[in-house]
Amino acid sequence: MKSLLIQHIQSLAGIRRSDELLVKGVAMKHLPQEEDAFLLIENGRIHSFGKMEAAPERADEMIDATDKMVIPCWCDSHTHLVYAGSREAEFVGKINGLSYAEIAARGGGILNSALLLNQTDEAELYDSALQRLEEVKNFGTGAIEIKSGYGLTVEGELKMLRVIRKLKENSPLTIKATFLGAHAYPIEYKENRKGYRDLLIQQMLPAIAEEGLADFIDVFCEQGYFTVEDTEEILTAGAKYGLRPKVHVNQFNIIDGIEACVKHKALSVDHLELIAENDLIALKNSNTMPVALPGCSLFLRIPYTPARRIIDEGLPFALATDYNPGSAPSGNMNLVMSLACINMQMSPEEVINASTLNGAYAMGIEGELGSITIGKKANLILTQKIPSLAYLPYSFGSNLVERVILHG
Ligand code: NIG
Ligand code: FE
């Protein structure tokens, strides 16, 4: 039995009962905290916490957290962290005036990454992804969702998902895998879109299910990619294998995809840079988490998700990085939280709730992670000496995470 005692914590934040599985509406403005606190970890789990005067005398390892904060690790529920190569040439193209759609039309974008991925072997993909995981861990991320979707062939998609499985086995982070075969139509299927959907449904899905490689299914539901009808067909097929949807929708256009996602019991709908009244109504009658990706808005210079409209409707809200080579080449949750405060008028308490418990919910691990709760996995951030929690998103571009404790 190994124990770790953190003492004299200036503020221990994100304290929740075990039956609080997400935070929504006005409650998001509140981040329950204990000041001058201790927290005891035993066997990698939160054993107890409270006021310093009630702290146990000793443990196998002791940390002094005077003037420092302890918060749950960031739960980044939307990334494409496994990829090959990079796309800085497109970045320069964008600086020179090309849009995301124009770049894609010239063979750039997702298809460019797919080409590179299919030329890269599993070991190399694994090594680069492991390096990125190490990087995001140092930013405070303790749980992460990773999508496939740069394979777009049976072999390529399986290769990506096997890399994610290997990361799950070897990384201290908690990882969830999402099958995103419906990320873009490959060039060969440009005139035969049904052919690609058939391949996805009849060959990719059964092979993935056979090896148990995916936890969720995703579709890029967007003009020029997968229609709402395509999306429904794919989600229906995924449901036969028990894969709950987490869907890319309303990034560039409103195409009534959110209602369809809710109908298919999506765990999350992600992007939502644009949102209509009927989208909000659909979300209100659902258990679906809206997820915003402000790093993508910054990088592509597209609108930021209207967080205020969504939260003020009484809905929950999560933040994630979208870490990928095309639209958000950064896995820095601290920056994402600053962007949400600055450009989405979210308060520091709201962005922390959106990046911890609600992020955990958006990848189905809210019972294990995302809050300071007895029995949960001890994936925690110990900050540097900081005057207040608001100082975290205020210091945009800095990394004030001193230490990341994963599973004790
Ligand atoms: O979430 N929108 C679709 N997929 C990614 C972009 C992927 C890429 O450009 O490589 C996104 O923004
Ligand atoms: Fe994405």
Side-chain angles (χ1 to χ4, degrees), residues 78 80 87 100 110 150 183 220 248 251 271 322 324 326-327:
H78 180 139
H80 310 248
R87 291 179 12 216
Y100 189 79
I110 295 164
Y150 290 128
H183 201 184
F220 187 14
H248 282 76
Q251 181 176 8
H271 275 290
D322 199 12
N324 77 74
S327 71

